[in-house]
């Protein structure tokens, strides 16, 4: 059984259902929360794989993992997945749904890593620059990582721009070693 193909089908069906009911954005937020729950709590995945755990308990876990007050559309989708015994595919289904939604809505993700905290004004300026270049919306995330010493690392849609001090020092070190 190819879990990738099955997961794509479920995610596409959920997106079509969300569009028909006008709940695309709501389901997008719920699937993001679910995906983050899978990432943060590895025991959630183990619980879903447990054949002894009753379906009702799994449903409660999945509703809680998506944020307690979830939409009826999300509940119906989870019930369908559980009925068809595809709950172990939910981590992948949620990721695929997120990607399909972003592609449909022309949303790009960007992650900026800096050595120190960045002002909100700078974040917004970078997001505006990216939005003007991509002609889409940007979901912007920042992270502090003191070990890069200075500069920044920007990840966006599979691309990486590394202007950190630590990477520049590593390049210089590599050049010095090669020149010996």
């Amino acid at each position: 059984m190819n879990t990738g193909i099955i997961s794509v089908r479920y995610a596409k069906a959920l997106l079509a259902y969300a569009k028909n009911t006008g709940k695309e954005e709501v389901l997008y937020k719920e699937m993001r929360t679910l995906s983050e729950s899978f990432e943060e709590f590895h025991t959630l995945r183990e619980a879903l794989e447990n054949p002894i755990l009753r379906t009702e308990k799994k449903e409660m876990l999945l509703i809680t993992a998506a944020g307690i007050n979830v939409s009826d559309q999300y509940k119906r989708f989870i019930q369908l997945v559980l009925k068809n015994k595809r709950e172990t595919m939910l981590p992948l289904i949620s990721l695929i749904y997120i990607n399909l939604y972003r592609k449909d809505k022309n949303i790009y993700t960007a992650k900026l890593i800096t050595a120190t905290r960045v002002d909100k004004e700078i974040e917004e300026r970078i997001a505006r620059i990216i939005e003007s270049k991509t002609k889409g919306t940007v979901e912007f995330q920042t992270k502090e990582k003191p070990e890069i010493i200075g500069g920044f690392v920007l990840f966006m849609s599979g691309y990486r721009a590394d202007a950190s001090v630590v990477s520049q020092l590593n390049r210089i070190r590599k050049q010095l070693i090669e020149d010996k």
Side-chain angles (χ1 to χ4, degrees):
M1 160 175 53
N2 191 331
T3 57
I5 293 171
I6 295 168
S7 299
V8 169
R9 286 181 182 160
Y10 273 85
K12 283 182 176 180
L14 179 60
L15 185 60
Y17 175 60
K19 284 182 176 183
N20 287 338
T21 59
K23 297 287 185 177
E24 297 164 88
E25 189 173 344
V26 171
L27 279 163
Y28 172 64
K29 289 177 183 174
E30 291 168 347
M31 294 306 272
R32 278 184 57 190
T33 304
L34 178 65
S35 181
E36 289 166 5
S37 294
F38 278 117
E39 204 172 297
E40 191 174 338
F41 306 106
H42 299 287
T43 54
L44 177 59
R45 192 181 305 242
E46 293 168 9
L48 293 177
E49 292 171 356
N50 185 347
I52 298 170
L53 194 62
R54 292 191 347 253
T55 303
E56 297 81 24
K57 293 286 185 188
K58 289 180 181 182
E59 183 179 346
M60 282 178 37
L61 274 172
L62 291 167
I63 288 171
T64 304
I68 301 172
N69 296 323
V70 294
S71 65
D72 290 335
Q73 290 79 6
Y74 176 81
K75 288 178 186 174
R76 288 188 67 202
F77 179 72
I78 293 303
Q79 290 166 352
L80 174 72
V81 169
L82 290 169
K83 178 184 165 200
N84 292 328
K85 304 215 181 294
R86 303 287 194 202
E87 59 268 22
T88 58
M89 295 180 189
L90 272 169
L92 187 54
I93 292 170
S94 64
L95 289 173
I96 293 169
Y97 178 86
I98 291 165
N99 286 335
L100 290 172
Y101 178 86
R102 285 178 177 158
K103 189 174 184 179
D104 187 57
K105 299 294 181 188
N106 201 24
I107 298 172
Y108 296 88
T109 58
K111 183 176 184 180
L112 180 68
I113 299 173
T114 55
T116 59
R117 201 157 93 62
V118 176
D119 292 340
K120 198 73 174 161
E121 182 183 313
I122 293 172
E123 278 182 42
E124 290 169 1
R125 214 164 80 206
I126 294 170
R128 281 194 307 269
I129 291 168
I130 294 170
E131 286 175 352
S132 71
K133 299 286 182 195
T134 60
K135 307 283 190 270
T137 309
V138 175
E139 288 181 354
F140 202 72
Q141 180 183 23
T142 58
K143 183 178 179 182
E144 291 176 46
K145 207 171 177 184
E147 57 266 21
I148 70 167
I149 303 170
F152 67 90
V153 181
L154 178 67
F155 295 93
M156 195 189 109
S157 302
Y159 294 102
R160 178 178 182 219
D162 191 342
S164 67
V165 172
V166 75
S167 70
Q168 291 173 9
L169 289 172
N170 284 336
R171 271 183 263 166
I172 292 169
R173 192 184 102 221
K174 187 177 176 183
Q175 269 184 328
L176 291 172
I177 290 171
E178 287 175 359
D179 288 344
K180 281 188 177 183

